[in-house]
């Protein structure tokens, strides 16, 4: 089924990311934590927006963020637009690891293109980037 194939593809990419991060001296992080790091790296900073972007609860994001803060990979700083809120940013130790993660993901995509072909990877990218609309209620 399509959902299982998408999940399998996600885990293929994430496992490659995890293995290569560890080879580069990075910490062991969970799948959820690596997704939070990647979203922060894309410029999404508010926990509520991270949750929305990932399709998970704010509580799950806060849990991952707390763990990442304890690892020294991210930090919570005051939100300049809303003094009551905090935003998440990569720490000085977290930033180099993120840049390494971006390189790893680029290399994984290139490796996938070698395995299944550049046209298939481009098509996959186009399909996944398409606007699928709201979920269908059946």
């Amino acid at each position: 089924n399509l959902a299982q194939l998408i999940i399998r593809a996600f885990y293929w990419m994430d496992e490659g990311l995890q293995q290569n991060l560890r080879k580069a001296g990075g910490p062991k992080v969970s799948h959820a934590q690596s997704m939070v790091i990647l979203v922060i790296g894309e410029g999404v900073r508010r926990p509520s927006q991270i949750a929305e972007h990932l399709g998970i609860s704010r509580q799950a994001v806060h849990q991952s963020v707390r763990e990442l803060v304890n690892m020294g990979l991210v930090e919570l700083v005051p939100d300049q637009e809303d003094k009551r809120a905090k935003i998440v940013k990569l720490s000085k130790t977290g930033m180099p690891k993120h840049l390494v993660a971006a390189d790893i993901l680029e290399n994984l995509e290139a490796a996938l293109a070698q395995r299944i072909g550049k046209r298939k990877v481009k098509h996959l990218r186009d399909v996944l980037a398409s606007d699928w609309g709201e979920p269908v209620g059946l």
Side-chain angles (χ1 to χ4, degrees):
N1 96 23
L2 182 60
Q4 289 173 328
L5 293 172
I6 292 170
I7 290 169
R8 189 174 74 183
F10 162 75
Y11 280 114
W12 184 89
M13 291 295 285
D14 194 53
E15 284 299 323
L17 172 64
Q18 297 286 340
Q19 288 175 18
N20 285 286
L21 274 176
R22 285 191 296 276
K23 282 182 192 173
K28 181 169 175 47
V29 295
S30 69
H31 294 295
Q33 292 166 339
S34 67
M35 293 308 300
V36 169
I37 290 169
L38 291 172
V39 171
I40 294 167
E42 291 175 9
V44 181
R45 302 283 191 260
R46 291 189 173 146
S48 61
Q49 292 171 332
I50 295 169
E52 184 179 320
H53 194 80
L54 292 174
I56 61 175
S57 70
R58 288 188 305 178
Q59 292 84 352
V61 169
H62 284 291
Q63 176 68 32
S64 288
V65 167
R66 270 193 303 277
E67 293 163 353
L68 292 168
V69 165
N70 290 339
M71 288 181 209
L73 297 176
V74 302
E75 48 192 22
L76 289 168
V77 297
D79 185 340
Q80 298 303 315
E81 296 174 19
D82 180 356
K83 298 295 182 193
R84 300 168 295 157
K86 296 210 183 258
I87 58 171
V88 186
K89 72 175 204 166
L90 295 170
S91 68
K92 291 183 193 277
T93 28
M95 184 57 80
K97 287 178 179 63
H98 170 70
L99 294 175
V100 168
D103 290 342
I104 291 169
L105 290 170
E106 195 173 299
N107 291 332
L108 286 171
E109 191 171 325
L112 183 61
Q114 282 184 319
R115 290 181 178 187
I116 68 171
K118 287 182 183 181
R119 285 181 50 208
K120 286 183 179 179
V121 170
K122 183 189 179 321
H123 186 66
L124 176 62
R125 195 175 244 298
D126 292 344
V127 168
L128 293 173
S130 298
D131 182 2
W132 293 14
E134 291 296 315
V136 178
L138 304 176

